[in-house]
Amino acid sequence: MSLLVSVGVFFAGAGAAQAAPACGVLSSGAASQANAAVRSACGLIGTPYSWGGGHGSQPGPTYGICDPSNGAPDDCNVRGLDCSGMVRYAYDLAVGEDVINGTTRTQWPTSRAVARYYRADGTGPLLPGDLVYFGNTASTIHHVAMYLGQGWIVEAPYSGGYVQVAALSSHSDYYGAIRLYGAGGTTPTTPPTTPPSGGNGKYWVDTFSNAPVYGSPSSTSSTGTLYQGTNYVFCKAWGREVSNGTGYNHWWLKTNPDEGPSNQWVSAFYLSKWGSDVAKDNNGTTIPNCQGGTTPPATGKYWVDTFSNASVYSSPTSTSSTGTLYQGTNYVFCKAWGREVSNGSSYNHWWLKTNPDEGPSNQWVSAFYLSKWGSDVAKDNNGTTIPDC
């Protein structure tokens, strides 16, 4: 009951019953790029929602994904934008650069953010152009919209809907917001400054929430807490898996927590800048192994991120699909050269052997679907070139 009351208090007075205003910049103080993004988003009013739409190699409307489990049974026949595709396209139109690619959960921890706000901060700090995210936790974020000011947002809402203006209060699970450009139109040319890598044996990392710490990488009894924010760690070791949804990490980082004894271990799952089984500091430097620390077992698997559901085939030259590899973090075994898959100026001839989510094992998926790399590149999430089959 207290949770329900807090939700009601947070959104009290937001005026969900008010008629929506005309889409536009509804308050002052935002950067010129953010105001331009609002105007671009408002120019998309009426664009059809399409699950997975807007996630091609270039920003803009695309045909989506037919996925009845997500309430989108016909979206592969609808050319449009989903929520993250819409904000991606609006900023690309505004600044001429693809600054916020990815899905809601990969957009939220972006290192391009110059400011970040959480539910506890309220909506007072928000400015037009801020991207507002919805979900009860960082790992369950499921929706994004663009803030207009005065409690209003522009969003691509759901399958069957269209880009529209809505009240922020129409969503009960506001999680937080990010700002991509500072007030007055400034933005850093690099991510916000962090201490240099390895100074005094310390590697600086951002953690997206308060995290429990443990006496060893295999322990299950918490000994304290490392607070959300920028923290230092010393080294890494392989240990038990920490996971939520499709995100996971086996790396553990030695640190001095905010609560509890020193030289404890925190899971690299809590790093906000990186993905599964990655342990890098804010500058992209791989955190070194601790002396005597365990290392990953040899699995023959290379982990990659795919930007959408992808068809798989029985060979790198086949044109008859045998199943589907779902969007997300997946493993592949090796690569081979095959037929070209392309869209616009992007293309790839490499094919990756994998076990798909639907269909028989040991099938082939085009490296075109890798979200981190460009044309004719076949690397895993750590930048390692996937070996030939």
Side-chain angles (χ1 to χ4, degrees):
M1 179 62 72
S2 62
L3 175 60
L4 294 175
V5 170
S6 68
V7 169
V9 170
F10 178 80
F11 288 117
Q18 288 181 269
C23 191
V25 178
L26 301 184
S27 59
S28 61
S32 59
Q33 297 97 324
N35 287 333
V38 168
R39 290 189 287 270
S40 295
C42 291
L44 300 173
I45 293 289
T47 301
Y49 179 97
S50 183
W51 172 252
H55 294 282
S57 57
Q58 300 296 322
T62 62
Y63 288 98
I65 301 167
C66 287
D67 188 353
S69 66
N70 280 292
D74 193 50
D75 284 28
C76 56
N77 298 309
V78 177
R79 189 172 185 274
L81 300 164
D82 67 10
C83 60
S84 52
M86 189 277 287
V87 299
R88 176 197 184 196
Y89 188 37
Y91 261 102
D92 179 72
L93 290 172
V95 302
E97 184 183 358
D98 190 7
V99 295
I100 192 67
N101 194 359
T103 63
T104 52
R105 293 182 198 173
T106 60
Q107 287 179 349
W108 164 255
T110 178
S111 61
R112 299 188 70 109
V114 299
R116 191 177 296 275
Y117 303 99
Y118 294 86
R119 182 184 181 91
D121 298 314
T123 59
L126 300 185
L127 294 175
D130 288 353
L131 301 183
V132 291
Y133 290 83
F134 302 91
N136 291 318
T137 65
S139 62
T140 58
I141 285 173
H142 61 89
H143 186 55
V144 61
M146 186 177 294
Y147 193 65
L148 302 176
Q150 299 183 24
W152 296 95
I153 58 175
V154 57
E155 63 174 350
Y158 44 75
S159 184
Y162 301 85
V163 176
Q164 64 179 19
V165 173
L168 177 60
S169 60
S170 64
H171 300 274
S172 62
D173 58 347
Y174 169 68
Y175 180 78
I178 61 173
R179 182 169 300 153
L180 299 182
Y181 293 88
T186 59
T187 183
T189 56
T190 59
T193 302
T194 58
S197 301
N200 297 318
K202 297 178 179 178
Y203 295 80
W204 295 87
V205 297
D206 288 344
T207 51
F208 63 76
S209 71
N210 290 0
V213 298
Y214 300 84
S216 76
S218 59
S219 175
T220 57
S221 298
S222 175
T223 56
T225 304
L226 184 70
Y227 293 162
Q228 172 187 331
T230 301
N231 298 285
Y232 63 83
V233 299
F234 303 110
C235 54
K236 72 180 190 298
W238 195 258
R240 67 176 176 87
E241 178 181 290
V242 174
S243 63
N244 190 313
T246 59
Y248 61 89
N249 215 304
H250 292 85
W251 287 115
W252 288 77
L253 311 174
K254 183 173 281 191
T255 188
N256 292 329
D258 298 283
E259 297 179 6
S262 60
N263 290 315
Q264 302 298 286
W265 297 85
V266 63
S267 172
F269 174 84
Y270 291 94
L271 300 187
S272 63
K273 292 180 178 288
W274 310 108
S276 299
D277 278 351
V278 177
K280 297 181 179 181
D281 71 4
N282 287 349
N283 294 322
T285 301
T286 298
I287 296 164
N289 292 335
C290 298
Q291 186 173 3
T294 54
T295 58
T299 62
K301 295 178 179 178
Y302 295 82
W303 295 90
V304 297
D305 288 346
T306 52
F307 63 76
S308 72
N309 289 2
S311 297
V312 298
Y313 300 84
S314 60
S315 77
T317 57
S318 174
T319 58
S320 298
S321 174
T322 56
T324 304
L325 185 69
Y326 294 161
Q327 172 186 340
T329 301
N330 298 285
Y331 63 81
V332 299
F333 302 110
C334 54
K335 73 179 189 299
W337 196 257
R339 66 178 177 86
E340 179 182 289
V341 175
S342 62
N343 188 317
S345 61
S346 298
Y347 59 88
N348 213 302
H349 292 86
W350 286 115
W351 288 77
L352 312 173
K353 183 174 280 191
T354 187
N355 292 328
D357 298 283
E358 297 178 6
S361 59
N362 291 315
Q363 301 298 286
W364 295 84
V365 63
S366 172
F368 174 85
Y369 291 93
L370 300 187
S371 62
K372 292 180 178 290
W373 312 107
S375 299
D376 278 351
V377 176
K379 296 181 179 181
D380 70 6
N381 287 346
N382 293 322
T384 301
T385 298
I386 296 163
D388 293 337
C389 296

Short mmCIF file of all heavy atoms in Angstrom, two decimals, residues 253-313:
data_model
loop_
_atom_site.label_atom_id
_atom_site.label_comp_id
_atom_site.label_asym_id
_atom_site.label_seq_id
_atom_site.Cartn_x
_atom_site.Cartn_y
_atom_site.Cartn_z
N LEU A 253 35.00 -7.80 -9.13
CA LEU A 253 35.98 -6.74 -9.01
C LEU A 253 36.30 -6.49 -7.54
O LEU A 253 35.40 -6.29 -6.72
CB LEU A 253 35.44 -5.45 -9.65
CG LEU A 253 34.84 -5.62 -11.05
CD1 LEU A 253 34.20 -4.32 -11.50
CD2 LEU A 253 35.90 -6.08 -12.04
N LYS A 254 37.59 -6.47 -7.22
CA LYS A 254 37.99 -6.20 -5.83
C LYS A 254 37.92 -4.70 -5.57
O LYS A 254 38.39 -3.89 -6.37
CB LYS A 254 39.41 -6.71 -5.56
CG LYS A 254 39.84 -6.52 -4.11
CD LYS A 254 41.18 -7.17 -3.82
CE LYS A 254 41.03 -8.66 -3.63
NZ LYS A 254 42.28 -9.25 -3.11
N THR A 255 37.32 -4.30 -4.45
CA THR A 255 37.10 -2.89 -4.15
C THR A 255 37.03 -2.67 -2.65
O THR A 255 36.98 -3.62 -1.86
CB THR A 255 35.78 -2.41 -4.80
OG1 THR A 255 35.67 -0.99 -4.66
CG2 THR A 255 34.57 -3.07 -4.16
N ASN A 256 37.05 -1.40 -2.27
CA ASN A 256 36.77 -1.00 -0.89
C ASN A 256 35.36 -0.42 -0.86
O ASN A 256 35.13 0.66 -1.40
CB ASN A 256 37.78 0.04 -0.40
CG ASN A 256 39.17 -0.54 -0.25
OD1 ASN A 256 39.33 -1.71 0.05
ND2 ASN A 256 40.19 0.29 -0.46
N PRO A 257 34.39 -1.11 -0.29
CA PRO A 257 32.99 -0.65 -0.35
C PRO A 257 32.72 0.54 0.56
O PRO A 257 33.55 0.92 1.40
CB PRO A 257 32.21 -1.88 0.09
CG PRO A 257 33.15 -2.60 1.01
CD PRO A 257 34.52 -2.39 0.43
N ASP A 258 31.55 1.11 0.41
CA ASP A 258 31.13 2.22 1.27
C ASP A 258 30.68 1.72 2.64
O ASP A 258 30.82 2.42 3.64
CB ASP A 258 29.99 2.99 0.59
CG ASP A 258 30.42 3.60 -0.72
OD1 ASP A 258 31.11 4.63 -0.70
OD2 ASP A 258 30.09 3.04 -1.78
N GLU A 259 30.13 0.53 2.67
CA GLU A 259 29.73 -0.11 3.93
C GLU A 259 30.36 -1.49 3.99
O GLU A 259 30.26 -2.26 3.04
CB GLU A 259 28.20 -0.24 4.02
CG GLU A 259 27.45 1.08 4.03
CD GLU A 259 25.95 0.87 4.09
OE1 GLU A 259 25.51 -0.30 4.23
OE2 GLU A 259 25.21 1.85 3.97
N GLY A 260 31.03 -1.80 5.11
CA GLY A 260 31.64 -3.11 5.27
C GLY A 260 33.14 -3.06 5.20
O GLY A 260 33.75 -2.00 4.97
N PRO A 261 33.81 -4.20 5.39
CA PRO A 261 35.28 -4.24 5.41
C PRO A 261 35.86 -3.95 4.03
O PRO A 261 35.18 -4.03 3.01
CB PRO A 261 35.57 -5.67 5.85
CG PRO A 261 34.35 -6.46 5.48
CD PRO A 261 33.20 -5.52 5.64
N SER A 262 37.14 -3.61 4.00
CA SER A 262 37.82 -3.34 2.74
C SER A 262 38.16 -4.64 2.02
O SER A 262 38.01 -5.74 2.57
CB SER A 262 39.08 -2.51 3.00
OG SER A 262 39.96 -3.23 3.85
N ASN A 263 38.64 -4.49 0.77
CA ASN A 263 39.06 -5.62 -0.05
C ASN A 263 37.96 -6.68 -0.18
O ASN A 263 38.17 -7.87 0.07
CB ASN A 263 40.34 -6.25 0.50
CG ASN A 263 41.53 -5.34 0.31
OD1 ASN A 263 41.72 -4.75 -0.76
ND2 ASN A 263 42.33 -5.18 1.36
N GLN A 264 36.79 -6.20 -0.59
CA GLN A 264 35.66 -7.08 -0.87
C GLN A 264 35.45 -7.15 -2.39
O GLN A 264 36.16 -6.51 -3.16
CB GLN A 264 34.41 -6.59 -0.15
CG GLN A 264 34.57 -6.50 1.35
CD GLN A 264 34.86 -7.85 1.99
OE1 GLN A 264 33.98 -8.69 2.11
NE2 GLN A 264 36.11 -8.06 2.38
N TRP A 265 34.43 -7.91 -2.80
CA TRP A 265 34.20 -8.18 -4.22
C TRP A 265 32.79 -7.74 -4.64
O TRP A 265 31.82 -8.04 -3.96
CB TRP A 265 34.38 -9.67 -4.52
CG TRP A 265 35.77 -10.15 -4.26
CD1 TRP A 265 36.30 -10.56 -3.07
CD2 TRP A 265 36.82 -10.24 -5.22
NE1 TRP A 265 37.61 -10.91 -3.23
CE2 TRP A 265 37.96 -10.73 -4.53
CE3 TRP A 265 36.92 -9.99 -6.58
CZ2 TRP A 265 39.18 -10.95 -5.16
CZ3 TRP A 265 38.12 -10.21 -7.23
CH2 TRP A 265 39.24 -10.69 -6.52
N VAL A 266 32.72 -7.02 -5.76
CA VAL A 266 31.44 -6.60 -6.33
C VAL A 266 31.33 -7.16 -7.74
O VAL A 266 32.32 -7.22 -8.48
CB VAL A 266 31.32 -5.05 -6.34
CG1 VAL A 266 32.37 -4.40 -7.22
CG2 VAL A 266 29.91 -4.62 -6.78
N SER A 267 30.14 -7.57 -8.13
CA SER A 267 29.95 -8.13 -9.46
C SER A 267 30.05 -7.04 -10.53
O SER A 267 29.47 -5.97 -10.39
CB SER A 267 28.59 -8.80 -9.57
OG SER A 267 28.32 -9.18 -10.91
N ALA A 268 30.77 -7.34 -11.62
CA ALA A 268 30.85 -6.42 -12.75
C ALA A 268 29.51 -6.29 -13.48
O ALA A 268 29.37 -5.46 -14.37
CB ALA A 268 31.93 -6.88 -13.74
N PHE A 269 28.51 -7.09 -13.08
CA PHE A 269 27.15 -6.92 -13.59
C PHE A 269 26.66 -5.49 -13.36
O PHE A 269 25.88 -4.96 -14.15
CB PHE A 269 26.21 -7.91 -12.88
CG PHE A 269 24.75 -7.73 -13.22
CD1 PHE A 269 24.21 -8.30 -14.36
CD2 PHE A 269 23.92 -6.98 -12.39
CE1 PHE A 269 22.86 -8.14 -14.67
CE2 PHE A 269 22.57 -6.81 -12.68
CZ PHE A 269 22.05 -7.39 -13.83
N TYR A 270 27.12 -4.85 -12.28
CA TYR A 270 26.64 -3.51 -11.91
C TYR A 270 27.33 -2.38 -12.66
O TYR A 270 26.99 -1.21 -12.45
CB TYR A 270 26.79 -3.31 -10.40
CG TYR A 270 25.84 -4.16 -9.60
CD1 TYR A 270 26.24 -5.40 -9.11
CD2 TYR A 270 24.53 -3.76 -9.37
CE1 TYR A 270 25.37 -6.22 -8.41
CE2 TYR A 270 23.65 -4.57 -8.67
CZ TYR A 270 24.07 -5.80 -8.19
OH TYR A 270 23.19 -6.60 -7.51
N LEU A 271 28.30 -2.70 -13.54
CA LEU A 271 28.93 -1.64 -14.34
C LEU A 271 27.91 -1.10 -15.34
O LEU A 271 27.29 -1.86 -16.08
CB LEU A 271 30.16 -2.18 -15.07
CG LEU A 271 31.29 -2.74 -14.20
CD1 LEU A 271 32.50 -3.06 -15.07
CD2 LEU A 271 31.68 -1.76 -13.10
N SER A 272 27.76 0.21 -15.40
CA SER A 272 26.71 0.80 -16.23
C SER A 272 27.13 1.00 -17.68
O SER A 272 26.28 1.19 -18.54
CB SER A 272 26.26 2.15 -15.64
OG SER A 272 27.31 3.08 -15.63
N LYS A 273 28.43 0.96 -17.98
CA LYS A 273 28.88 1.30 -19.33
C LYS A 273 29.05 0.08 -20.24
O LYS A 273 29.20 0.24 -21.45
CB LYS A 273 30.21 2.06 -19.27
CG LYS A 273 30.11 3.44 -18.67
CD LYS A 273 31.47 4.12 -18.68
CE LYS A 273 31.37 5.53 -18.11
NZ LYS A 273 30.69 6.44 -19.02
N TRP A 274 29.02 -1.14 -19.69
CA TRP A 274 29.42 -2.28 -20.47
C TRP A 274 28.39 -3.39 -20.39
O TRP A 274 27.46 -3.34 -19.61
CB TRP A 274 30.80 -2.78 -20.01
CG TRP A 274 31.79 -1.68 -19.91
CD1 TRP A 274 32.32 -1.11 -18.78
CD2 TRP A 274 32.35 -0.93 -21.01
NE1 TRP A 274 33.17 -0.09 -19.09
CE2 TRP A 274 33.22 0.04 -20.45
CE3 TRP A 274 32.22 -1.00 -22.39
CZ2 TRP A 274 33.94 0.94 -21.24
CZ3 TRP A 274 32.94 -0.11 -23.18
CH2 TRP A 274 33.78 0.84 -22.60
N GLY A 275 28.59 -4.43 -21.20
CA GLY A 275 27.63 -5.52 -21.32
C GLY A 275 28.06 -6.76 -20.56
O GLY A 275 28.87 -6.73 -19.64
N SER A 276 27.49 -7.89 -21.00
CA SER A 276 27.69 -9.16 -20.32
C SER A 276 29.14 -9.65 -20.41
O SER A 276 29.77 -9.57 -21.47
CB SER A 276 26.75 -10.21 -20.92
OG SER A 276 25.39 -9.81 -20.74
N ASP A 277 29.64 -10.15 -19.28
CA ASP A 277 31.01 -10.69 -19.17
C ASP A 277 32.07 -9.72 -19.69
O ASP A 277 33.05 -10.13 -20.31
CB ASP A 277 31.12 -12.04 -19.87
CG ASP A 277 30.60 -13.18 -18.98
OD1 ASP A 277 30.35 -12.93 -17.80
OD2 ASP A 277 30.47 -14.31 -19.48
N VAL A 278 31.86 -8.43 -19.43
CA VAL A 278 32.86 -7.40 -19.72
C VAL A 278 33.25 -6.74 -18.40
O VAL A 278 32.40 -6.48 -17.55
CB VAL A 278 32.31 -6.34 -20.71
CG1 VAL A 278 33.33 -5.23 -20.94
CG2 VAL A 278 31.92 -6.98 -22.03
N ALA A 279 34.53 -6.47 -18.22
CA ALA A 279 35.02 -5.81 -17.00
C ALA A 279 36.04 -4.77 -17.42
O ALA A 279 37.25 -5.02 -17.42
CB ALA A 279 35.62 -6.82 -16.03
N LYS A 280 35.57 -3.59 -17.80
CA LYS A 280 36.42 -2.49 -18.21
C LYS A 280 36.13 -1.27 -17.34
O LYS A 280 35.04 -1.13 -16.81
CB LYS A 280 36.17 -2.12 -19.68
CG LYS A 280 36.50 -3.21 -20.68
CD LYS A 280 36.24 -2.74 -22.10
CE LYS A 280 36.59 -3.80 -23.13
NZ LYS A 280 36.35 -3.32 -24.52
N ASP A 281 37.13 -0.37 -17.24
CA ASP A 281 36.88 0.86 -16.51
C ASP A 281 36.20 1.88 -17.42
O ASP A 281 35.88 1.58 -18.58
CB ASP A 281 38.17 1.40 -15.88
CG ASP A 281 39.16 1.98 -16.89
OD1 ASP A 281 38.85 2.04 -18.10
OD2 ASP A 281 40.26 2.38 -16.47
N ASN A 282 35.95 3.07 -16.90
CA ASN A 282 35.20 4.08 -17.66
C ASN A 282 35.91 4.53 -18.93
O ASN A 282 35.28 5.07 -19.84
CB ASN A 282 34.91 5.30 -16.78
CG ASN A 282 33.85 5.02 -15.74
OD1 ASN A 282 33.19 3.99 -15.79
ND2 ASN A 282 33.70 5.92 -14.78
N ASN A 283 37.24 4.35 -18.98
CA ASN A 283 37.99 4.74 -20.17
C ASN A 283 38.10 3.62 -21.19
O ASN A 283 38.75 3.79 -22.23
CB ASN A 283 39.39 5.21 -19.77
CG ASN A 283 39.35 6.49 -18.95
OD1 ASN A 283 38.54 7.36 -19.20
ND2 ASN A 283 40.22 6.58 -17.95
N GLY A 284 37.49 2.47 -20.89
CA GLY A 284 37.55 1.34 -21.82
C GLY A 284 38.73 0.43 -21.61
O GLY A 284 38.97 -0.48 -22.41
N THR A 285 39.50 0.65 -20.54
CA THR A 285 40.65 -0.19 -20.24
C THR A 285 40.19 -1.47 -19.54
O THR A 285 39.42 -1.40 -18.57
CB THR A 285 41.65 0.55 -19.34
OG1 THR A 285 42.09 1.73 -19.99
CG2 THR A 285 42.84 -0.33 -19.00
N THR A 286 40.62 -2.62 -20.03
CA THR A 286 40.27 -3.88 -19.38
C THR A 286 40.93 -3.94 -18.01
O THR A 286 42.14 -3.76 -17.87
CB THR A 286 40.72 -5.08 -20.23
OG1 THR A 286 40.02 -5.03 -21.49
CG2 THR A 286 40.41 -6.39 -19.54
N ILE A 287 40.15 -4.18 -16.98
CA ILE A 287 40.66 -4.25 -15.62
C ILE A 287 41.53 -5.51 -15.50
O ILE A 287 41.13 -6.59 -15.94
CB ILE A 287 39.48 -4.27 -14.62
CG1 ILE A 287 38.71 -2.94 -14.73
CG2 ILE A 287 39.97 -4.51 -13.19
CD1 ILE A 287 37.34 -2.98 -14.11
N PRO A 288 42.73 -5.41 -14.94
CA PRO A 288 43.65 -6.56 -14.91
C PRO A 288 43.17 -7.66 -13.97
O PRO A 288 42.38 -7.42 -13.05
CB PRO A 288 44.97 -5.94 -14.42
CG PRO A 288 44.55 -4.76 -13.61
CD PRO A 288 43.32 -4.21 -14.29
N ASN A 289 43.67 -8.88 -14.20
CA ASN A 289 43.36 -10.00 -13.32
C ASN A 289 44.04 -9.81 -11.97
O ASN A 289 45.17 -9.32 -11.90
CB ASN A 289 43.82 -11.32 -13.93
CG ASN A 289 43.02 -11.68 -15.17
OD1 ASN A 289 41.88 -11.26 -15.33
ND2 ASN A 289 43.62 -12.46 -16.05
N CYS A 290 43.36 -10.20 -10.91
CA CYS A 290 43.97 -10.20 -9.59
C CYS A 290 44.99 -11.35 -9.51
O CYS A 290 44.84 -12.37 -10.18
CB CYS A 290 42.91 -10.40 -8.51
SG CYS A 290 41.66 -9.10 -8.45
N GLN A 291 46.01 -11.17 -8.71
CA GLN A 291 47.01 -12.22 -8.54
C GLN A 291 46.34 -13.46 -7.98
O GLN A 291 45.68 -13.42 -6.95
CB GLN A 291 48.13 -11.74 -7.61
CG GLN A 291 49.29 -12.72 -7.50
CD GLN A 291 50.45 -12.15 -6.70
OE1 GLN A 291 50.36 -11.03 -6.18
NE2 GLN A 291 51.53 -12.90 -6.59
N GLY A 292 46.50 -14.57 -8.68
CA GLY A 292 45.89 -15.82 -8.23
C GLY A 292 44.42 -15.93 -8.54
O GLY A 292 43.77 -16.92 -8.16
N GLY A 293 43.84 -14.91 -9.23
CA GLY A 293 42.42 -14.94 -9.54
C GLY A 293 42.09 -15.96 -10.61
O GLY A 293 42.90 -16.26 -11.48
N THR A 294 40.89 -16.52 -10.52
CA THR A 294 40.46 -17.49 -11.52
C THR A 294 40.14 -16.78 -12.83
O THR A 294 39.82 -15.60 -12.85
CB THR A 294 39.23 -18.25 -11.03
OG1 THR A 294 38.22 -17.30 -10.66
CG2 THR A 294 39.56 -19.11 -9.83
N THR A 295 40.25 -17.49 -13.92
CA THR A 295 39.98 -16.95 -15.25
C THR A 295 38.85 -17.75 -15.90
O THR A 295 38.52 -18.85 -15.46
CB THR A 295 41.24 -17.02 -16.13
OG1 THR A 295 41.67 -18.38 -16.20
CG2 THR A 295 42.35 -16.16 -15.53
N PRO A 296 38.26 -17.23 -16.98
CA PRO A 296 37.12 -17.92 -17.59
C PRO A 296 37.52 -19.29 -18.13
O PRO A 296 38.63 -19.48 -18.62
CB PRO A 296 36.73 -16.99 -18.75
CG PRO A 296 37.35 -15.68 -18.43
CD PRO A 296 38.57 -15.97 -17.63
N PRO A 297 36.62 -20.25 -18.03
CA PRO A 297 36.89 -21.55 -18.64
C PRO A 297 36.86 -21.44 -20.17
O PRO A 297 36.22 -20.56 -20.72
CB PRO A 297 35.73 -22.42 -18.14
CG PRO A 297 34.62 -21.44 -17.88
CD PRO A 297 35.30 -20.18 -17.41
N ALA A 298 37.59 -22.31 -20.83
CA ALA A 298 37.57 -22.32 -22.29
C ALA A 298 36.25 -22.93 -22.76
O ALA A 298 35.95 -24.08 -22.47
CB ALA A 298 38.74 -23.13 -22.81
N THR A 299 35.43 -22.15 -23.47
CA THR A 299 34.11 -22.62 -23.90
C THR A 299 33.98 -22.69 -25.40
O THR A 299 33.08 -23.35 -25.91
CB THR A 299 33.03 -21.66 -23.38
OG1 THR A 299 33.23 -20.37 -23.95
CG2 THR A 299 33.07 -21.56 -21.86
N GLY A 300 34.86 -22.00 -26.14
CA GLY A 300 34.69 -21.95 -27.58
C GLY A 300 33.56 -21.04 -28.01
O GLY A 300 33.19 -21.02 -29.18
N LYS A 301 33.01 -20.27 -27.08
CA LYS A 301 31.91 -19.37 -27.38
C LYS A 301 32.39 -17.92 -27.40
O LYS A 301 33.20 -17.51 -26.57
CB LYS A 301 30.78 -19.51 -26.36
CG LYS A 301 30.10 -20.87 -26.35
CD LYS A 301 29.02 -20.95 -25.27
CE LYS A 301 28.32 -22.30 -25.27
NZ LYS A 301 27.31 -22.41 -24.21
N TYR A 302 31.89 -17.17 -28.36
CA TYR A 302 32.19 -15.74 -28.48
C TYR A 302 30.88 -14.99 -28.38
O TYR A 302 29.94 -15.27 -29.13
CB TYR A 302 32.90 -15.46 -29.82
CG TYR A 302 34.24 -16.12 -29.90
CD1 TYR A 302 34.35 -17.46 -30.26
CD2 TYR A 302 35.41 -15.41 -29.61
CE1 TYR A 302 35.59 -18.09 -30.31
CE2 TYR A 302 36.64 -16.03 -29.67
CZ TYR A 302 36.73 -17.37 -30.01
OH TYR A 302 37.96 -17.98 -30.05
N TRP A 303 30.80 -14.05 -27.44
CA TRP A 303 29.54 -13.37 -27.15
C TRP A 303 29.41 -12.10 -27.98
O TRP A 303 30.32 -11.28 -28.05
CB TRP A 303 29.45 -13.07 -25.66
CG TRP A 303 29.38 -14.33 -24.85
CD1 TRP A 303 30.44 -15.03 -24.34
CD2 TRP A 303 28.21 -15.06 -24.52
NE1 TRP A 303 29.99 -16.16 -23.70
CE2 TRP A 303 28.63 -16.21 -23.78
CE3 TRP A 303 26.85 -14.86 -24.74
CZ2 TRP A 303 27.73 -17.14 -23.29
CZ3 TRP A 303 25.95 -15.80 -24.25
CH2 TRP A 303 26.39 -16.93 -23.54
N VAL A 304 28.24 -11.95 -28.60
CA VAL A 304 27.97 -10.82 -29.50
C VAL A 304 26.59 -10.25 -29.21
O VAL A 304 25.70 -10.97 -28.73
CB VAL A 304 28.04 -11.25 -30.98
CG1 VAL A 304 29.44 -11.74 -31.35
CG2 VAL A 304 27.01 -12.34 -31.29
N ASP A 305 26.40 -8.96 -29.49
CA ASP A 305 25.08 -8.32 -29.39
C ASP A 305 24.49 -8.21 -30.78
O ASP A 305 25.15 -7.75 -31.72
CB ASP A 305 25.20 -6.91 -28.78
CG ASP A 305 25.50 -6.94 -27.30
OD1 ASP A 305 25.36 -8.02 -26.69
OD2 ASP A 305 25.90 -5.90 -26.75
N THR A 306 23.22 -8.61 -30.92
CA THR A 306 22.50 -8.49 -32.18
C THR A 306 21.38 -7.47 -32.01
O THR A 306 20.70 -7.46 -30.98
CB THR A 306 21.93 -9.84 -32.63
OG1 THR A 306 21.17 -10.43 -31.56
CG2 THR A 306 23.05 -10.79 -33.01
N PHE A 307 21.20 -6.59 -33.02
CA PHE A 307 20.30 -5.45 -32.85
C PHE A 307 18.84 -5.77 -33.13
O PHE A 307 17.97 -4.95 -32.88
CB PHE A 307 20.75 -4.26 -33.69
CG PHE A 307 20.74 -4.48 -35.19
CD1 PHE A 307 19.55 -4.48 -35.90
CD2 PHE A 307 21.93 -4.67 -35.87
CE1 PHE A 307 19.56 -4.67 -37.27
CE2 PHE A 307 21.94 -4.86 -37.25
CZ PHE A 307 20.74 -4.86 -37.95
N SER A 308 18.54 -6.96 -33.67
CA SER A 308 17.15 -7.35 -33.89
C SER A 308 17.10 -8.87 -34.01
O SER A 308 18.14 -9.54 -34.10
CB SER A 308 16.59 -6.71 -35.16
OG SER A 308 17.15 -7.28 -36.32
N ASN A 309 15.89 -9.43 -33.98
CA ASN A 309 15.74 -10.84 -34.26
C ASN A 309 16.27 -11.11 -35.67
O ASN A 309 16.01 -10.33 -36.59
CB ASN A 309 14.27 -11.25 -34.19
CG ASN A 309 13.73 -11.25 -32.77
OD1 ASN A 309 14.44 -10.90 -31.82
ND2 ASN A 309 12.48 -11.63 -32.60
N ALA A 310 17.02 -12.21 -35.83
CA ALA A 310 17.68 -12.48 -37.11
C ALA A 310 17.36 -13.90 -37.58
O ALA A 310 17.36 -14.85 -36.78
CB ALA A 310 19.20 -12.31 -36.98
N SER A 311 17.11 -14.06 -38.87
CA SER A 311 16.91 -15.38 -39.44
C SER A 311 18.24 -16.13 -39.48
O SER A 311 19.30 -15.54 -39.68
CB SER A 311 16.35 -15.25 -40.86
OG SER A 311 15.07 -14.65 -40.85
N VAL A 312 18.16 -17.45 -39.29
CA VAL A 312 19.35 -18.29 -39.39
C VAL A 312 19.15 -19.27 -40.54
O VAL A 312 18.03 -19.53 -40.98
CB VAL A 312 19.63 -19.05 -38.07
CG1 VAL A 312 19.91 -18.09 -36.95
CG2 VAL A 312 18.47 -19.98 -37.71
N TYR A 313 20.29 -19.81 -41.01
CA TYR A 313 20.28 -20.66 -42.20
C TYR A 313 21.21 -21.85 -41.97
O TYR A 313 22.07 -21.82 -41.09
CB TYR A 313 20.74 -19.85 -43.42
CG TYR A 313 19.85 -18.66 -43.70
CD1 TYR A 313 20.05 -17.45 -43.01
CD2 TYR A 313 18.80 -18.74 -44.61
CE1 TYR A 313 19.22 -16.37 -43.25
CE2 TYR A 313 17.98 -17.65 -44.86
CZ TYR A 313 18.19 -16.46 -44.18
OH TYR A 313 17.37 -15.39 -44.41
#
